[in-house]
Amino acid sequence: LMAPVQRISKYQLMLKDLAKQTARADIESPDLDSAVEVMLEIPRRADSAIALDLVDHSHNMEKEHGELLLQDAFNTWDKSKKKSAGSGERLVFLFDNLVLLTKKRRVDTPGEMARYVIKHKLKASELMLTAEVDNDPRRFLLTAGKPNNAQEKIVFQAKNVTIKMAWMNAIQTLLTEQLIRLKEQKISNGADKPISRSLSLFERGSSSLFEK
């Protein structure tokens, strides 16, 4: 018998075929379209959960920092003065409230499964996104920290443009959602200084998506 996880690919093919048939018949099927999206999402979520389990001290990450949205390997360059994140290959996780950079731990025993250690964290509430870096279509820049303090600047290079765009779209969505929440909070609470500073920061982060 096939394990449940092995059946997912068969379910995907079956639902995709049904969606094609209904489209040819000019039949609207929003529920079927949603089912296809769900089945395509399950393997990605499973892969992300497995990858997160390989990171030391990561058990409460989703509880503390929100839903795990994406995970991919990047080459990174720390352009900050402190160089806290370092440079090199990093397995990076995007949560609702955090960007987590991890580094592969040295394996001393042959055959031992690779594990990762937490190298650096970037708060989503302080992020600014620059879409193009060094004329490389695979790269983007994340700047974190308030303007009055020492800002961190990390360049990320994805394996391909598709991965880069997935991350940029997800980060921009987070920035937009948080900007909306801050504006709503500002309206309900009045012009509070900390909120105003955060709002200004988010607006710069949102607009910097199109920076060159």
Side-chain angles (χ1 to χ4, degrees):
L1 294 175
M2 296 178 66
V5 69
Q6 294 175 313
R7 298 185 189 130
I8 291 176
S9 60
K10 289 186 174 293
Y11 294 152
Q12 289 175 343
L13 293 173
M14 180 184 71
L15 290 170
K16 284 181 180 179
D17 185 60
L18 285 173
K20 288 180 181 179
Q21 296 299 327
T22 54
R24 290 172 182 170
D26 199 22
I27 300 173
E28 293 186 3
S29 54
D31 291 341
L32 182 56
D33 293 338
S34 298
V36 172
E37 292 178 6
V38 169
M39 292 309 301
L40 293 175
E41 183 72 5
I42 289 174
R44 187 196 67 78
R45 288 181 177 272
D47 289 343
S48 295
I50 291 171
L52 187 60
D53 281 342
L54 297 176
V55 179
D56 293 342
H57 310 297
S58 63
H59 303 299
N60 295 321
M61 279 291 172
E62 287 197 90
K63 182 177 179 181
E64 295 174 358
H65 302 293
E67 181 183 350
L68 174 56
L69 304 173
L70 289 172
Q71 66 86 19
D72 280 293
F74 290 88
N75 287 322
T76 65
W77 293 268
D78 190 344
K79 302 296 184 180
S80 315
K81 291 182 179 179
K82 293 184 178 180
K83 306 293 183 185
S84 301
S87 299
E89 185 173 347
R90 300 286 183 263
L91 183 60
V92 186
F93 299 84
L94 176 65
F95 297 87
D96 284 330
N97 301 316
L98 187 77
V99 177
L100 179 69
L101 288 83
T102 69
K103 181 180 180 181
K104 184 180 289 188
R105 193 172 65 188
R106 189 176 67 183
V107 176
D108 297 322
T109 305
E112 181 182 352
M113 181 177 292
R115 292 196 61 84
Y116 295 80
V117 295
I118 295 173
K119 184 66 179 177
H120 201 60
K121 299 175 182 178
L122 301 174
K123 293 181 180 179
S125 59
E126 298 180 350
L127 287 181
M128 289 181 284
L129 174 63
T130 303
E132 294 184 16
V133 180
D134 301 330
N135 295 318
D136 190 324
R138 299 169 298 168
R139 294 184 182 184
F140 61 92
L141 169 69
L142 288 181
T143 303
K146 296 181 180 179
N148 294 334
N149 299 324
Q151 289 186 320
E152 298 178 278
K153 297 178 181 290
I154 301 178
V155 175
F156 294 78
Q157 179 177 296
K159 292 181 179 179
N160 54 58
V161 176
T162 301
I163 292 175
K164 172 194 171 178
M165 292 307 301
W167 276 73
M168 289 198 10
N169 290 337
I171 292 171
Q172 181 63 10
T173 297
L174 288 180
L175 290 173
T176 302
E177 290 175 349
Q178 293 181 76
L179 175 61
I180 292 171
R181 286 198 296 269
L182 282 169
K183 285 185 174 180
E184 291 174 348
Q185 186 180 356
K186 182 179 178 182
I187 293 171
S188 62
N189 294 345
D192 181 79
K193 287 186 178 181
I195 295 175
S196 298
R197 287 198 294 270
S198 297
L199 180 59
S200 176
L201 180 64
F202 271 119
E203 287 173 337
R204 282 195 296 276
S206 180
S207 64
S208 66
L209 174 63
F210 303 103
E211 286 183 13
K212 304 295 184 182

